[in-house]
Amino acid sequence: MMDRNTLLSLLRGEDDSLLARADQVRRTVYGQDVYIRGLIEISNFCKRNCLYCGIRAGNPNAKRYRLSPEEILLCANHGYDLGFRTVVLQGGEDPFFNETTVCKLVEDLKTAHPDRAVTLSLGEQPKSTYKAWFDAGADRYLLRHETAIPTHYAQLHPADVTLETRKDCLFALKEIGYQVGSGFMVGSPGQTLEHLAEDFAFLSELQPDMIGIGPFLPHCDTPFAAEAAGDLDLTLRTVALSRILFPHALIPATTALGTLHPKGRELGLKAGANVVMPNLSPEDARARYTLYNNKLHTGAENAEQLDLLKAQVEAAGYRIVVDRGDVKR
Ligand code: 5AD
């Protein structure tokens, strides 16, 4: 781990070569390859009440939906035909998607295409549930820690959840054998550069396989409706630092980055990201899975328009590959 003062100076933008250095590291480890993941947003029912999130339980304006296991399988298999060798099932903490239901879903996905990786992003669960899903065939799990400072965690979440539990979940996932992804938002209310330095210290402890970082973006029906969005350049610097500190990590150019700026996705790739996660959800589900306002789900964010994404990625100097895209350790 880099010393804290160096880290802070890089976060402040005092080194103009940071992004280019990150791109160099990325090219050394992953060449010009960009891995694609087909994202299916399976449900926006959520029992949690995270203050930043548009699908929080306390948002009465959210139009709730839940895909059926049959719909999910159809979407995923269509994605396979398009070239997606990883499917990501993401959703709110919806009790419908319990241990048994998700086990069956993962088994069916693996039976249909054994060469496909399955990533789950279904929040905090008991370790036994994580284990059951892993044994059913799940390969990876995404669970951002959101912030590594307990008091800041408490500013972003209601009192029924703690940073400690979140960390326990992440270490449990690692122990079980998942490729584990964590990460955080840049510019969440109350966040300072010191907080970000602590986020990197936590990541060093966790040694995640994947690191998801995007700007905070306000949602009009949350307590943070009036808060400012995260800064583009600071977000890019955190992506670059992630690449430099964790050369082998799988790092997405996130939808939030693409939403913040028209060239956000390409800029993310040039700052060290090597993954993109276009949306495979049915059209009406996409519109309802609004974690923040104006969330992109058309154009290159649409898995159907892979050609558009390919062209953008190539214009940025990289190339999309048809591959599971596992972490290189
Ligand atoms: N702005 C940006 N990112 C958000 N997320 C949730 N709400 C927002 C928001 N308002 C992110 C969280 C979560 C991931 C699925 O989406 O970091 O882990």
Side-chain angles (χ1 to χ4, degrees):
M1 185 65 190
M2 185 181 279
D3 73 81
R4 189 134 320 200
N5 285 332
T6 311
L7 193 57
L8 286 169
S9 117
L10 292 172
L11 284 168
R12 280 194 296 267
E14 284 164 9
D15 178 353
D16 291 336
S17 70
L18 178 67
L19 273 54
R21 280 200 286 135
D23 185 50
Q24 231 14 80
V25 173
R26 167 257 163 64
R27 285 175 191 274
T28 307
V29 182
Y30 285 102
Q32 24 169 23
D33 292 358
V34 171
Y35 301 127
I36 51 171
R37 322 298 197 196
L39 175 66
I40 306 180
E41 295 156 336
I42 65 173
S43 171
N44 72 352
F45 283 92
C46 192
K47 63 181 186 200
R48 303 282 181 197
N49 225 354
C50 309
L51 276 74
Y52 44 83
C53 185
I55 66 167
R56 63 203 302 269
N59 177 7
N61 297 328
K63 295 197 182 71
R64 305 289 169 175
Y65 75 92
R66 170 185 297 135
L67 302 183
S68 68
E70 295 71 33
E71 284 175 291
I72 296 167
L73 283 168
L74 281 173
C75 268
N77 292 341
H78 177 57
Y80 187 92
D81 296 335
L82 292 171
F84 291 91
R85 295 295 174 269
T86 291
V87 63
V88 181
L89 306 186
Q90 184 175 90
E93 290 188 24
D94 177 354
F96 173 84
F97 286 103
N98 60 18
E99 188 172 307
T100 317
T101 309
V102 175
C103 277
K104 172 86 170 68
L105 194 51
V106 172
E107 281 161 12
D108 289 347
L109 286 166
K110 284 294 192 175
T111 305
H113 292 291
D115 61 334
R116 151 167 74 197
V118 175
T119 302
L120 300 177
S121 181
L122 302 171
E124 294 184 359
Q125 304 287 343
K127 187 173 182 186
S128 51
T129 300
Y130 287 149
K131 176 81 167 77
W133 293 347
F134 183 77
D135 291 341
D139 302 273
R140 311 189 187 117
Y141 205 99
L142 302 176
L143 182 68
R144 293 184 180 177
H145 68 275
E146 313 294 359
T147 174
I149 307 248
T151 49
H152 189 222
Y153 198 90
Q155 278 175 263
L156 302 181
H157 302 94
D160 63 334
V161 295
T162 62
L163 177 59
E164 210 185 318
T165 310
R166 183 58 61 109
K167 287 184 176 180
D168 287 346
C169 286
L170 285 162
F171 287 109
L173 289 161
K174 276 210 85 156
E175 207 179 288
I176 290 167
Y178 282 96
Q179 292 176 43
V180 173
S182 195
F184 50 87
M185 294 174 283
V186 172
S188 58
Q191 184 187 64
T192 64
L193 296 187
E194 280 74 18
H195 288 80
L196 290 171
E198 194 57 34
D199 286 320
F200 283 112
F202 171 67
L203 291 178
S204 297
E205 198 189 320
L206 180 68
Q207 290 294 319
D209 304 293
M210 299 163 286
I211 302 173
I213 295 177
F216 161 77
L217 297 166
H219 186 289
C220 60
D221 294 319
T222 65
F224 292 158
E227 301 287 338
D231 178 75
L232 175 68
D233 293 313
L234 179 57
T235 306
L236 293 172
R237 292 198 291 274
T238 58
V239 169
L241 268 166
S242 301
R243 173 58 66 206
I244 289 169
L245 295 170
F246 309 96
H248 295 88
L250 296 162
I251 302 176
T254 54
T255 305
L257 196 49
T259 300
L260 181 68
H261 188 277
K263 287 261 175 280
R265 193 178 319 100
E266 291 91 322
L267 292 168
L269 292 173
K270 289 183 178 178
N274 65 332
V275 171
V276 283
M277 302 172 60
N279 203 314
L280 260 179
S281 311
E283 193 59 46
D284 46 337
R286 284 180 208 185
R288 294 180 176 205
Y289 199 81
T290 38
L291 305 182
Y292 43 82
N293 288 135
N294 308 313
K295 184 166 147 272
L296 280 188
H297 54 81
T298 55
E301 286 291 334
N302 178 355
E304 298 292 335
Q305 285 172 264
L306 202 52
D307 286 344
L308 197 60
L309 181 65
K310 274 184 186 153
Q312 286 186 8
V313 167
E314 274 167 34
Y318 309 95
R319 63 144 197 252
I320 285 180
V321 291
V322 174
D323 192 294
R324 274 177 51 122
D326 286 301
V327 70
K328 291 191 173 147
R329 296 201 216 253

